Amino acid sequence: MLELHGVGYRYAGYANAVLHDIDLTLADGEIVGVVGANEAGKSTLCLVACGLAPGSIGGALTGGGLSIDGEPMAGKPLHAFATRVGIGFQNPSTQLSGVTGSVFEEVALGPMNLGLNPRETVERTNAALATLGIDDLAEREPRRLSGGQGQLVVIASLLAMRPPHLVLDEPTAQLDPEGTRLVGEALRELAATGTALLVAEHKTDLLDGLCDRVVVIDGGRIVAADAASILLEDPHLTEWGVEPPSRVRLAQAARARGLDPALLVGAT
Amino acid sequence: MSWGRFDTRTIVLIPIAIAINIVLGQTVSAALKIPIYLDSIGTILVGVLAGPIPGLVTGLLANLIWTYVLPAPFHSDYAAPFAIVAAEIGFVSGVLGQVGWFRSRPNADTARLVLGAAVVVIVLGLIGYYGFLPFYTNGTFTFFGDTSKTEPFFVIVGYLIGIGVVAAILGLIALLFVRRDLGVAYVAIGGLFCGIVSALISAPISAVVFGGVTGSGADLLVGAFQKAGSDLQTAVLQQGLLSDPIDKTIEFFIGFVILQTLSRRFVSRFPQGEKAVGLEQA
Amino acid sequence: MILADDLDPDDVERIRRLVPPTPSAYHRLNPLTKAVIATVGSIGAFAAGGYVGPIAVDLVMLFLAFRAGVLGQLGRVSLLLTLPIAISVVLVSVFTRAGTTILFTIGPFDATAEGVDFAAQTLVRLFAISLSIGLFVMTTDPRAFVFDLERRGVSPRVAFVAVATIEAVPTLVERAAVIGESQRARGLDTEGSIRARLRGVLPLVGPVIIGALTDVEERSLALESRAFSRPGRRHLLWAMPDRRWERWVRWALLALLVATAVARLTGRI
């Protein structure tokens, strides 16, 4: 379980905090979506949740703290976070390490860095590749993959570390529709593994049907949090700079023309 | 003063810095056949951002990797012997970064700019008069002395070199006033110093291992000096002392501009970034 | 060679496919051995000086290249790389080096026998260096070399830097090409005289460097999530084998190098 209690954060060199009073709990196996306008604080929240803020990028928590499974994580070394909460970013090419000649070795990199013996490393690598369905990519060169494939390899690499929690900051932002589809499917596979997921996304379609809960961030504060099925249909979403999922938008458009939205079931 | 740290960011920076060295070095020296190599900018950046020791390590690794690890077409058979020179450049940049010589000092009033320019000219003048002239006018190769015994060819070459050096100085001073940034003066003197040290270290290596040549236009200069009576080591050093300070000053200046262009947020995340680039004015 | 003996045969097979191919016996030598050969050859050539030492190194390297099946390639590449320097060596040494035995004269330049002698010695030496290093690079996979060093105790961070550079260079070139294209589309001229080319290259330098540097932030964050900053050694999946006799060869070669240097310094040769 990953918990943020009353957390605020300001970047190094800036006086003002960009996150205020964040209370967020990610229970084991839970899938939580984070939505909000650009610059609302989604990315900052992701960095704080995985310990890289302030651990790697400096700055300071202006209140509260992060605990994982009841243990406060303040001051812990960065590699202690790696086995508890992994993080994936938008750009596959900067997340692939650039030191491996094959997808297999890329996914094995994390376990190797943990000092595991070859047998365990290979086991975890095979399992991660299988979960994401990319075993057929194992001998390909990471740098020649498409964006979507690259992101799958990145997620597999994170999975190989066996973290109980995984944070993904807009994993499909730089992908084409095919890549987005691949990652969307991968997220569902991930959900089935029991890994807790915190996914920040603009594309609410991806979160629809995937998340248990959704949280809305606006101006660095959580302004709404509810079950996904309820919040994604909330009419205030657009005020917060969030585009509702297409099925919701279709239903709203139908109602506006006096049509019964139920007729559109199965259209999305 | 700190010697620098090797955090993850620094370790990720080093291969990229080495790549910058190699790509710029090969492109520029292939395009312009003059002894301006521009193959140390990455090393300089690491030195300033992460500290003298990381700068030194970057220089060392850059040349060793260039020879022993990189495959064709980026590979160089001849880089490894100069690893020590590259290490020195990284170390010197790091030290100068620590004492703030890469900081921008903008909006300097004219008086201070004139003072800065004057300091540069005085320093160059002193080095030139007490250092360069005697060194270069030994034997029959003279700038201003008795030219009756020398081949006219070499007198012309001598004057051309002199004009070139003066032009470089004027260019630097002009930059100082165009940017109105006193930091340019510091960078210029730093580059000069680094260039002189680099020439001193690389001359014996070049002479002993490569017979003093590099395959670029600089070799004509070496030939000229040798023809005028210097032995090989001296000729290489004479050539080096002319081209290296210019090369290093240009590279220091490029590094300086890049540091100013990088966002403050980026720079401040490096171990020595804040100290090197200076505190926010606003 | 797979560094574990408790793996499933399928996994062993898969890892074996990841190991770079070694088409000849020379390729199969341990990378460190090949590196020592290259270093002793290149340093030895100029430690020995004169003609005999460098020519011996040249012949040995050519022979080894023949056995490794890379003779043609090595010869061509070395010639190409050494040609520009060779021209300079000849011109500078023959025509400007002080000497007493004048062979012929062109304008103010006297070609001396001493100059020819010096040029010849330098050329033989330069070839020795180029052939030695070239042979190493052509018969050794860089990743295999770095893994071997890591197995022997080199820090994984240094190993990372070495291997990361291999990919960083072509990536930077690609980035430069892309930026160059977009600037050309905006009317930047990159052909023509030196001034035009300089003006063409300079606007590239800034964006290429800045772009490459800003990557550093994202890359280091991503690596932290792979436990990159965890101290301690790693268990590699594969590495090149090392044989007992190779160790003897390495020490013998190093001893030979030291002996040569000593002999040279004390005037023996």
Side-chain angles (χ1 to χ4, degrees), chain A residues 32-44:
Chain A
V32 174
V34 178
V35 297
N38 285 328
E39 309 296 317
K42 296 195 299 295
S43 294
T44 313

Side-chain angles (χ1 to χ4, degrees), chain B residues 6-24 27-28 30-33 41 45 49 61 65 67-72 74-78 80-81 151 153-154 207-216 219-220 222-224 226-228 232 254 257-258 261-262 265-266 269-270, chain C residues 35 38-39 42 46 78 81-82 84-85 88-89 91-93 95-98 108-110 118 122 125-127 129-131 133-134 136-137 142 145-146 157-158 160-166 168-170 172-173 176 194 197-198 201-202 205-206 209-210 212-217 219-221 223-224 228-229:
Chain B
F6 284 96
D7 61 350
T8 301
R9 219 169 252 104
T10 304
I11 297 178
V12 170
L13 175 64
I14 293 179
I16 294 181
I18 296 178
I20 292 175
N21 283 356
I22 292 174
V23 172
L24 276 182
T27 319
V28 171
L32 324 161
K33 298 284 182 202
I41 293 182
L45 288 172
L49 287 172
L61 286 178
I65 290 174
T67 295
Y68 283 102
V69 176
L70 275 186
F74 303 109
H75 168 255
S76 163
D77 287 338
Y78 303 117
E151 300 275 353
F153 173 77
F154 296 103
V208 171
V209 180
F210 297 106
V213 299
T214 53
S216 75
D219 305 337
L220 294 174
V222 175
Q226 206 173 216
K227 177 76 176 144
L232 185 60
I254 294 180
V257 171
I258 290 179
T261 317
L262 290 169
R265 212 169 68 164
F266 177 85
R269 293 198 185 157
F270 281 92
Chain C
T39 309
S42 42
F46 85 87
S78 284
L81 281 178
T82 318
I85 297 191
S88 287
V89 166
L91 288 177
V92 169
S93 305
F95 289 103
T96 66
R97 194 172 173 80
F109 298 103
D110 303 321
F118 185 80
T122 307
R125 193 168 64 229
L126 285 176
F127 260 115
I129 297 176
S130 179
L131 288 174
I133 306 280
F136 172 72
V137 170
F145 179 41
V146 175
R157 292 145 163 234
V158 172
F160 172 84
V161 169
V163 180
T165 308
I166 300 174
V169 178
L172 191 63
V173 171
I194 285 199
R197 267 186 289 152
L198 196 63
V201 163
L202 282 181
V205 170
I209 295 182
I210 304 273
L213 291 177
T214 39
D215 264 2
V216 169
E217 182 66 22
R219 284 185 180 276
S220 39
L221 291 180
L223 281 174
E224 296 290 9
F228 183 75
S229 54

Side-chain angles (χ1 to χ4, degrees), chain A residues 94 106 113 119 126 139, chain C residues 6 11 17 218 226 230:
Chain A
T94 52
E106 179 71 24
N113 283 343
R119 187 178 178 82
N126 284 335
E139 286 164 47
Chain C
D6 54 349
D11 295 327
R17 282 200 292 273
E218 286 183 31
R226 320 275 284 280
R230 181 181 166 279

Side-chain angles (χ1 to χ4, degrees), chain A residues 154-255:
Chain A
V154 167
I155 297 175
S157 317
L158 294 170
L159 209 56
M161 312 279 292
R162 304 251 166 109
H165 318 88
L166 195 52
V167 176
L168 295 171
D169 183 7
E170 297 201 49
T172 65
Q174 297 190 12
L175 302 181
D176 61 12
E178 175 60 20
T180 304
R181 186 187 67 78
L182 280 176
V183 171
E185 275 173 21
L187 291 179
R188 277 162 227 279
E189 304 291 337
L190 266 185
T193 62
T195 308
L197 291 180
L198 185 70
V199 185
E201 257 295 349
H202 269 301
K203 294 173 184 146
T204 42
D205 279 332
L206 278 174
L207 303 177
D208 194 22
L210 173 75
C211 297
D212 305 312
R213 282 193 299 131
V214 166
V215 147
V216 181
I217 284 201
D218 190 28
R221 290 173 201 280
I222 295 187
V223 295
D226 211 333
S229 47
I230 298 176
L231 194 48
L232 287 176
E233 292 176 23
D234 190 315
H236 295 292
L237 277 181
T238 39
E239 283 166 34
W240 293 316
V242 181
E243 195 173 68
S246 26
R247 67 167 174 88
V248 173
R249 279 182 289 130
L250 266 175
Q252 286 169 349
R255 265 185 231 111

Side-chain angles (χ1 to χ4, degrees), chain B residues 78-198:
Chain B
Y78 303 117
F82 292 103
I84 296 189
V85 184
E88 167 261 323
I89 295 171
F91 186 76
V92 168
S93 327
V95 170
L96 292 177
Q98 288 289 304
V99 296
W101 279 36
F102 277 89
R103 280 195 209 148
S104 178
R105 292 150 205 262
N107 309 314
D109 53 62
T110 314
R112 300 191 69 178
L113 284 176
V114 170
L115 180 63
V119 168
V120 174
V121 172
I122 291 174
V123 169
L124 281 169
L126 284 172
I127 294 179
Y129 191 73
Y130 288 107
F132 270 58
L133 267 185
F135 184 52
Y136 283 91
T137 58
N138 262 344
T140 55
F141 189 47
T142 58
F143 277 119
F144 306 111
D146 175 16
T147 57
S148 59
K149 294 195 196 69
T150 322
E151 300 275 353
F153 173 77
F154 296 103
V155 176
I156 295 172
V157 169
Y159 275 105
L160 282 176
I161 294 173
I163 291 172
V165 170
V166 170
I169 295 172
L170 288 174
L172 263 165
I173 295 181
L175 267 169
L176 184 66
F177 283 94
V178 163
R179 287 184 73 93
R180 298 204 74 91
D181 186 337
L182 193 57
V184 172
Y186 288 84
V187 170
I189 305 228
L192 189 68
F193 172 70
C194 186
I196 292 177
V197 176
S198 301

Side-chain angles (χ1 to χ4, degrees), chain A residues 47 52 56-57 78-79 82 86-87 89 91 93-102 104-106 108-110 112-119 121-122 126 129 135 138-139 143 157-158 161, chain C residues 3-4 6-8 11 14-15 17-18 143 147 159-161 163-165 167-168 170-171 174 215 217-238:
Chain A
L47 288 174
L52 287 176
S56 173
I57 67 173
L78 285 169
H79 56 87
I87 179 161
F89 301 98
N91 185 352
S93 58
T94 52
Q95 295 183 84
L96 295 171
S97 68
V99 293
T100 54
S102 66
F104 188 84
E105 288 167 283
E106 179 71 24
L109 185 68
M112 266 175 41
N113 283 343
L114 289 175
L116 299 175
N117 66 47
R119 187 178 178 82
T121 299
V122 169
N126 284 335
L129 291 172
D135 196 80
E139 286 164 47
R143 115 180 169 102
S157 317
L158 294 170
M161 312 279 292
Chain C
L3 287 176
D6 54 349
L7 296 177
D8 285 335
D11 295 327
R14 167 172 274 176
I15 298 180
R17 282 200 292 273
L18 301 176
R143 236 175 243 121
F147 278 161
F160 172 84
V161 169
V163 180
T165 308
E167 204 178 286
T171 302
E174 276 172 30
D215 264 2
E217 182 66 22
E218 286 183 31
R219 284 185 180 276
S220 39
L221 291 180
L223 281 174
E224 296 290 9
S225 210
R226 320 275 284 280
F228 183 75
S229 54
R230 181 181 166 279
R233 304 280 305 279
R234 314 189 297 172
H235 294 281
L236 302 172
L237 292 178
W238 59 267

